[in-house]
Amino acid sequence: MRDLGERAEQKAFSADRDTTISDVETDRRAMMGLAAGGLASVLLGMTATTAQATGGIGFVGSAQAQTSGPTPAPWWPSKFGKDDQVGATNLITPTKILDALKLVKTGKVYEMSHVYESSMPKFGERVFALRIPGAPTGGPLGANNVIWHDEFVATEIGQVGTQFDGLGHIGMAFKGEDKTEMRFYNGFTSAEISNAYGLKKLGVENVKPIITTGHLFDLAGLKGRSLNLGEEITVADLEACLGRQKMSADAIKSGDCVILNTGWASLWNKDNAQYVKGEPGIGVDAAKWLISKDIVLVGADTWAIEVVPNPDPNLAFPVHQELLAKNGIHIHECLVTADLAADGIYTFCYVMLPLKIKGATGSPGRPIALV
Ligand code: UVW
């Protein structure tokens, strides 16, 4: 690993965003060995020393076939153009919205967000603190004696509770701490976009309103039980779900959303330690299958939508990278999906309007399914 690291140091990416595939492929394996160990340390409860001792986290631990391992770099330029910051929500056209609205027949609304409260499970050291200063905050004022309450919220606003991941959330470090070699969606580098007061590019304000067709994959229904921590949802599972739900693979169209019901949310605010310890979810191959459908978003009733820990102990959140960084496909986490599953609702109009928080990595929100 040390040798690979040294080679990667010597042959790192060019800082300009026109790096060719052949440049990259030549040294792909060397550079992959340098990817960030921080996430994995949190995930696996390892110390930094342990992570170093195991060689850090390599994105490709072996020479895997490209059809079944993480997609190699460079993944840029995006199919939406080299300067695009919108990503897959470009696919939500007026026609897509009209098609989705045709699914609304009864007016029934399925709420798909949890309540935001300090007791909710949170990843790592994230916080959610809401305070109402004063009681009430202001007043009485005027002859009418008006009084009011304001709240002050301190939180990682896009990354707690029911959360929508924007395109600036996840990237890949190719050369240690070198920000010119940390790449995000469309090849934007950390040097270009990172800023203490909000991302300079790829902020969640760039995302289009999400009003499109959603499809539920009821994995818990398929298996007849809640899925287990570390249980990988495979392509075969997704296909079996479609069969059970009497849907063809063609039902998932460009610009649609896919939501996974695993049963994991039954732990929410009941056993938070277990909820965040790991989770069932898709692996890289299932992610690629979904990417091939040209979708806009993958959501789930789990906190990461992907299998954690990954069955390959060398990988940390590779599905986040496949979807967000490499394909501009959003992730929607900690959703409430059980009600849809209980009613056998597998296709619906999905509505999520990410807040236009300039420079934010994600957004809270109140996603709904309409039928
Ligand atoms: C990370 O931020 C690593 O995960 P998530 O997007 O699931 O919060």
Side-chain angles (χ1 to χ4, degrees):
M1 185 59 72
R2 184 177 164 76
D3 178 49
L4 290 176
E6 283 170 358
R7 282 176 48 210
E9 290 280 346
Q10 289 158 11
K11 305 265 292 184
F13 276 128
S14 149
D16 88 52
R17 295 199 289 125
D18 298 328
T19 309
T20 65
I21 289 182
S22 59
D23 290 340
V24 174
E25 277 301 285
T26 309
D27 290 296
R28 181 178 62 81
R29 289 192 58 206
M31 285 187 277
M32 292 304 183
L34 288 177
L39 280 179
S41 300
V42 172
L43 166 66
L44 301 173
M46 297 193 310
T47 62
T49 313
T50 316
Q52 275 168 7
T54 56
I57 295 300
F59 284 88
V60 182
S62 60
Q64 291 173 331
Q66 290 315 305
T67 50
S68 67
T71 309
W75 54 79
W76 56 93
S78 156
K79 65 182 175 185
F80 300 114
K82 69 178 180 49
D83 298 318
D84 180 65
Q85 299 183 55
V86 176
T89 56
N90 274 303
L91 298 170
I92 301 180
T93 60
T95 307
K96 284 299 303 176
I97 294 172
L98 287 173
D99 284 348
L101 290 173
K102 284 182 200 140
L103 297 167
V104 183
K105 308 276 191 221
T106 67
K108 184 162 183 183
V109 177
Y110 288 82
E111 296 261 13
M112 296 182 70
S113 69
H114 290 284
V115 172
Y116 293 89
E117 54 188 325
S118 62
S119 64
M120 62 193 172
K122 292 175 279 308
F123 175 70
E125 299 295 318
R126 291 175 186 164
V127 297
F128 181 84
L130 182 151
R131 303 285 182 270
I132 310 276
T137 308
L141 191 66
N144 51 323
N145 288 324
V146 66
I147 54 172
W148 61 90
H149 284 134
D150 298 345
E151 65 284 280
F152 174 86
V153 179
T155 186
E156 290 84 357
I157 193 162
Q159 299 299 334
V160 294
T162 298
Q163 60 197 264
F164 174 92
D165 284 351
L167 301 183
H169 179 44
I170 291 287
M172 186 185 285
F174 288 95
K175 192 183 171 193
E177 301 296 314
D178 184 344
K179 292 186 179 178
T180 66
E181 307 291 351
M182 294 180 181
R183 299 281 181 165
F184 290 80
Y185 170 70
N186 221 350
F188 289 111
T189 68
S190 180
E192 288 172 284
I193 73 171
S194 299
N195 184 277
Y197 297 100
L199 299 174
K200 289 186 275 187
K201 287 190 166 150
L202 300 183
V204 76
E205 75 275 14
N206 292 293
V207 177
K208 289 170 74 173
I210 295 173
I211 305 162
T212 191
T213 301
H215 303 283
L216 185 78
F217 281 66
D218 183 8
L219 281 309
L222 176 74
K223 308 252 174 180
R225 59 172 172 81
S226 289
L227 276 60
N228 299 317
L229 187 149
E231 184 172 349
E232 180 172 353
I233 297 167
T234 63
V235 173
D237 290 331
L238 295 177
E239 288 173 338
C241 257
L242 287 175
R244 176 176 174 272
Q245 295 171 192
K246 305 198 176 354
M247 293 164 65
S248 79
D250 297 346
I252 301 161
K253 300 205 164 22
S254 173
D256 288 357
C257 295
V258 164
I259 313 285
L260 312 170
N261 177 57
T262 70
W264 198 243
S266 63
L267 297 169
W268 185 269
N269 264 347
K270 294 197 172 63
D271 187 347
N272 288 352
Q274 181 68 8
Y275 184 84
V276 296
K277 190 171 167 194
E279 61 175 52
I282 55 172
V284 170
D285 289 350
K288 286 185 168 181
W289 186 85
L290 291 171
I291 291 164
S292 75
K293 309 281 178 209
D294 209 20
I295 57 173
V296 162
L297 174 151
V298 182
D301 57 351
T302 60
W303 55 269
I305 70 100
E306 64 177 293
V307 58
V308 181
N310 194 279
D312 180 344
N314 290 317
L315 299 180
F317 302 110
V319 170
H320 271 57
Q321 291 174 317
E322 290 300 318
L323 295 173
L324 290 163
K326 300 180 184 180
N327 290 283
I329 295 173
H330 293 281
I331 291 177
H332 210 170
E333 298 158 339
C334 304
L335 294 172
V336 174
T337 55
D339 300 338
L340 285 169
D343 288 355
I345 305 291
Y346 303 126
T347 299
F348 44 84
C349 175
Y350 191 62
V351 179
M352 168 64 188
L353 310 178
L355 301 183
K356 287 192 161 215
I357 308 173
K358 192 169 171 61
T361 67
S363 173
R366 190 170 180 171
I368 53 172
L370 288 166
V371 290

